[in-house]
Amino acid sequence: MGATLAIEAKALDVGYGPASGAVLQKFDLDVPSGELLTVIGPSGCGKSTFLRAVADLLQPLSGSLKVLGDSPHAARSRRDISFVFQDSTLLPWRTVLENITLPHDVGGFRQKPGAPTAQDLLALMGIPALGGRYPSQLSGGQRQRVAIARALISQPRILLMDEPFGALDEITRDRLNDELLRLWRETRTTILFVTHSIMEAAYLGNRVLVLAANPGRVHAIRDMRGIKDGRGEIAREHPALVSAMAELRSDLAACGAKG
């Protein structure tokens, strides 16, 4: 499935209705299955808008958008897509384990044979002992780990993440970046990760998609694979990563000049 496209956008226009116009215009992008693609760009360039279109939360105005070779609606109906937001959106009256199983409880979907249980996912996220706690008893980083576990309970083929670590302190954010890379290596789930952090984008991404604004469009796609090892890793202090970050910073400055 390595050569299969998880997401294919062609001449895509996406916005919030004809009256407000398109946020993204003539947008072309191919995302291979199993890729971890990070997305950066100035405010208003359409980063979150694109994720919402992929998730079937926002209908394209024109153009073509295929998700796993089908429509976004079909992919969502099969539970092939999960979404993690900046706010963990956990239900305060449900325990951690109950929050993780919420998609099954609400959607009525049965767990697939051999699929990880909620407790398995807690262990995968490094918090196996927290299943009986409530969200108010967790730190911000722990709540985001639970949100990711909840997103994985349906075994999605695509995981959409919209600034999931943006509100966390730097140490917790770095730790969760490492956890996300480990999770990606183990599952090879296709991940689209929106961030405002140049470091996070370069450190996590196989490729970095840089969007320009007014209208939202592809400014550049930077390939990070050549500077990382076979596991997709690189030290945060490595000169090659520092150089890549400088290129991304120049990209963003150019986007600002254009926007």
Side-chain angles (χ1 to χ4, degrees), residues 107-126:
F109 283 78
R110 293 183 179 179
Q111 187 171 357
K112 300 173 186 176
T117 66
Q119 189 60 55
D120 291 335
L121 290 170
L122 278 182
L124 182 66
M125 296 308 303

Side-chain angles (χ1 to χ4, degrees), residues 2-258:
T4 305
L5 289 180
I7 298 166
E8 184 179 8
K10 293 187 180 300
L12 186 67
D13 285 8
V14 186
Y16 295 87
S20 57
V23 177
L24 288 174
Q25 289 186 11
K26 305 302 179 186
F27 184 79
D28 294 324
L29 179 68
D30 289 344
V31 181
S33 291
E35 180 168 44
L36 201 171
L37 178 75
T38 52
V39 186
I40 60 173
S43 297
C45 69
K47 300 184 296 295
S48 299
T49 299
F50 180 59
L51 262 60
R52 282 163 171 74
V54 172
D56 192 40
L57 301 177
L58 193 61
Q59 299 305 308
L61 300 175
S62 63
S64 171
L65 177 61
K66 292 184 179 181
V67 179
L68 299 167
D70 215 330
S71 68
H73 178 73
R76 180 173 65 87
S77 299
R78 294 192 302 262
R79 292 278 182 111
D80 284 336
I81 305 168
S82 287
F83 214 128
V84 180
F85 299 92
Q86 183 171 354
D87 189 314
S88 61
T89 64
L90 303 180
L91 298 181
W93 59 87
R94 292 178 69 110
T95 66
V96 164
L97 282 174
E98 290 169 344
N99 266 286
I100 294 173
T101 60
L102 182 65
H104 287 332
D105 298 342
V106 172
F109 283 78
R110 293 183 179 179
Q111 187 171 357
K112 300 173 186 176
T117 66
Q119 189 60 55
D120 291 335
L121 290 170
L122 278 182
L124 182 66
M125 296 308 303
I127 48 173
L130 301 185
R133 295 190 187 182
Y134 289 88
S136 62
Q137 298 173 306
L138 305 178
S139 68
Q142 289 169 340
R143 285 194 292 272
Q144 283 303 88
R145 288 171 188 258
V146 175
I148 295 171
R150 180 181 60 191
L152 294 174
I153 193 70
S154 59
Q155 289 190 290
R157 295 170 64 186
I158 297 176
L159 183 61
L160 306 174
M161 309 186 77
D162 195 358
E163 297 188 65
F165 310 142
L168 303 177
D169 65 84
E170 188 172 358
I171 293 175
T172 302
R173 187 171 187 158
D174 285 352
R175 187 176 300 123
L176 286 178
N177 283 173
D178 292 336
E179 289 293 328
L180 181 62
L181 281 177
R182 179 181 59 81
L183 173 70
W184 173 74
R185 287 196 304 270
E186 292 181 10
T187 65
R188 289 296 167 169
T189 302
T190 305
I191 299 176
L192 268 65
F193 188 102
V194 168
T195 179
H196 279 292
S197 167
I198 294 174
M199 163 64 85
E200 193 168 54
Y203 182 72
L204 289 177
N206 302 142
R207 294 186 299 163
V208 181
L209 170 63
V210 184
L211 296 183
N214 303 321
R217 60 200 184 278
V218 176
H219 172 76
I221 299 178
R222 297 288 184 181
D223 198 329
M224 299 289 132
R225 289 168 292 187
I227 66 172
K228 298 180 180 180
D229 64 20
R231 293 165 56 84
E233 294 181 342
I234 188 172
R236 288 180 174 87
E237 301 81 12
H238 196 289
L241 186 65
V242 174
S243 177
M245 289 169 57
E247 289 182 351
L248 291 172
R249 190 169 287 109
S250 295
D251 287 335
L252 290 176
C255 289
K258 291 180 181 180

